[in-house]
Amino acid sequence: MQKFDQLIQEAQARIAASGSLVALDEVRVHYLGKKGVLTEQLKALGALPASERPAAGQQTNQAKHAVTAMLDARRRELEAQTLSAQLTAATVDVTLPGRGQEPGGLHPVTQILERVQALFASLGFGVEEGPEIEDEFHNFDALNFKPGHPARAEMDTFYLKDWPLLLRTHTSPVQVRALLKHGAPLRIIAPGRTFRHDYDVTHTPMFHQVEGLLVDKEVSMAHLRGVLTDFLQRFFERDDLRLRFRPSYFPFVEPGAEVDINCIFCDGAGCRVCKHSGWLEVLGCGLVHPNVLDACRVDPRRYSGWAFGVGIERLGMLRYGISDIRMNFENDLRFLRQFR
Ligand code: PHE
């Protein structure tokens, strides 16, 4: 009896002195663990004479219950203390200034692409895509590039080692693919990446173009001029924007032209950007060559068409006043943040 009273007192003192859950668990193991003091006592009961066993068993169990209850009470106490310490430490200071949010944004090239697509969608043009790895047939042959003609060499083509594969030098091969797939009449634009080995302030080896193609009955240069005027005036948000068509050569159009707009930086007075000419070159275009229609199984006696190709980075440079095309692809946040 006395022995157990002493044991319980001692346990009470040790439990009260346990300052943490870990320390408290050590006390539990000491009394109630596999080899704990009370556990051993219970095991020893069997060795007692039968007459003493019931009384001794009762006392041991009482002691065990008393210790268990004290351990539980202290554990709850310690848990409550830990929680309140955590809550105090994690107090939210509502007077602190916010950390702010950094919204992301679309890349300027993406923004221009989407703008061009939206303008042509409003004119009923669907979007067509083609592969970036092309072959000689779609990139050159079907577009009326004759073998050995200098126009082929002028394209600065990246050839792959598996002839006749190459990286497309323009989006014009999509004209061929779309006509072969859908036939005439057809009204599409084809946005995408293009590749040429060229690198300076106005050229990067990868850049973007949007091709436009319209094939139907009695399509003329006048129609092309009307659509491009509407497109460029809306793109640059200038009703008074003037276009100038300069005769030019592309094997896949006849007649072919390059289109200039009056300089949007100096309004034609002459400045550094327009090299004091008052004009800015923006795109190439023309009436689809009969040989191209033929190669695409469209009868050139029944159908005619026009096409144009415009550089997206070029449009971006003009619209946003970007002076070096290479900035588009250097991932400098100081540049990109300006287009959020
Ligand atoms: N594909 C030509 C180029 O990349 C542009 C173009 C497209 C010209 C369609 C005429 C017609 O230079």
Side-chain angles (χ1 to χ4, degrees):
M1 199 53 179
Q2 220 188 347
K3 189 178 86 184
F4 280 116
D5 282 347
Q6 215 182 323
L7 186 143
I8 289 170
Q9 265 173 28
E10 184 198 289
Q12 194 175 22
R14 292 180 66 163
I15 288 168
S18 310
S20 70
L21 288 166
V22 178
L24 185 66
D25 201 54
E26 277 165 20
V27 178
R28 183 190 61 78
V29 171
H30 176 75
Y31 289 102
L32 304 172
K34 250 199 194 135
K35 291 189 177 145
V37 179
L38 284 164
T39 317
E40 295 292 334
Q41 287 282 335
L42 281 167
K43 281 191 213 158
L45 286 176
L48 288 179
S51 59
E52 290 176 25
R53 242 179 263 160
Q58 212 184 6
Q59 283 175 352
T60 317
N61 269 326
Q62 274 170 3
K64 187 179 164 181
H65 285 137
V67 172
T68 307
M70 290 188 301
L71 282 167
D72 283 349
R74 181 65 180 149
R75 185 173 44 76
R76 278 193 293 274
E77 224 170 78
L78 286 172
E79 277 171 0
Q81 273 173 23
T82 314
L83 183 65
S84 76
Q86 273 171 359
L87 286 175
T88 318
T91 304
V92 176
D93 182 352
V94 293
T95 66
L96 280 176
R99 257 177 262 140
Q101 289 182 344
E102 277 243 38
L106 294 176
H107 192 280
V109 168
T110 308
Q111 290 188 34
I112 301 280
L113 268 172
E114 289 187 349
R115 191 172 160 75
V116 173
Q117 283 183 28
L119 289 174
F120 277 96
S122 74
L123 297 177
F125 283 68
V127 173
E128 199 67 33
E129 283 185 32
E132 290 168 12
I133 295 178
E134 261 299 358
D135 52 43
E136 295 242 44
F137 173 75
H138 294 91
N139 197 81
F140 291 131
D141 302 332
L143 289 169
N144 197 37
F145 282 79
K146 299 290 186 235
H149 191 282
R152 229 179 246 255
E154 274 162 27
M155 279 288 207
D156 295 317
T157 313
F158 285 110
Y159 286 93
L160 302 187
K161 60 176 193 288
D162 309 302
W163 184 87
L165 296 185
L166 46 81
L167 299 183
R168 67 176 175 194
T169 56
H170 50 176
T171 41
S172 300
V174 188
Q175 289 187 32
V176 178
R177 290 182 178 273
L179 276 175
L180 285 172
K181 188 161 142 203
H182 305 291
L186 189 64
R187 184 164 42 163
I188 55 128
I189 56 167
R193 292 194 186 102
T194 50
F195 307 85
R196 291 181 201 177
H197 57 83
D198 215 347
Y199 186 72
D200 58 39
V201 279
T202 52
H203 298 88
T204 47
M206 186 281 296
F207 59 105
H208 297 74
Q209 286 190 337
V210 171
E211 194 82 6
L213 172 69
L214 184 141
V215 176
D216 210 329
K217 294 194 170 131
E218 286 161 34
V219 170
S220 73
M221 210 64 184
H223 188 202
L224 172 62
R225 188 181 177 102
V227 169
L228 288 180
T229 304
D230 180 68
F231 161 59
L232 291 170
Q233 287 183 344
R234 287 164 74 191
F235 181 85
F236 288 107
E237 295 171 275
R238 300 220 180 170
D239 295 341
D240 58 348
L241 195 75
R242 279 172 294 122
L243 275 62
R244 177 171 85 168
F245 282 60
R246 259 185 305 109
S248 184
Y249 177 75
F250 302 95
F252 37 94
V253 285
E254 181 56 38
E258 272 169 323
V259 172
D260 300 337
I261 55 173
N262 55 314
C263 181
I264 49 178
F265 297 102
C266 64
D267 255 325
C271 67
R272 214 171 52 91
V273 183
C274 63
K275 299 199 185 88
H276 302 283
S277 70
W279 294 96
L280 296 166
E281 185 187 320
V282 287
L283 55 82
C285 64
L287 293 187
V288 181
H289 198 290
N291 289 352
V292 175
L293 293 175
D294 251 339
C296 299
R297 299 198 279 273
V298 171
D299 185 351
R301 282 161 306 185
R302 293 180 59 212
Y303 287 99
S304 55
W306 52 249
F308 70 86
V310 61
I312 291 303
E313 287 81 359
R314 173 93 184 130
L315 288 182
M317 289 172 87
L318 296 177
R319 184 167 162 83
Y320 297 131
I322 300 170
S323 54
D324 186 333
I325 192 175
R326 295 172 292 196
M327 285 195 268
N328 280 301
F329 307 114
E330 283 165 358
N331 286 334
D332 188 330
L333 286 175
R334 291 169 301 179
F335 172 77
L336 295 173
R337 282 205 179 102
Q338 300 177 58
F339 303 97
R340 278 205 291 240

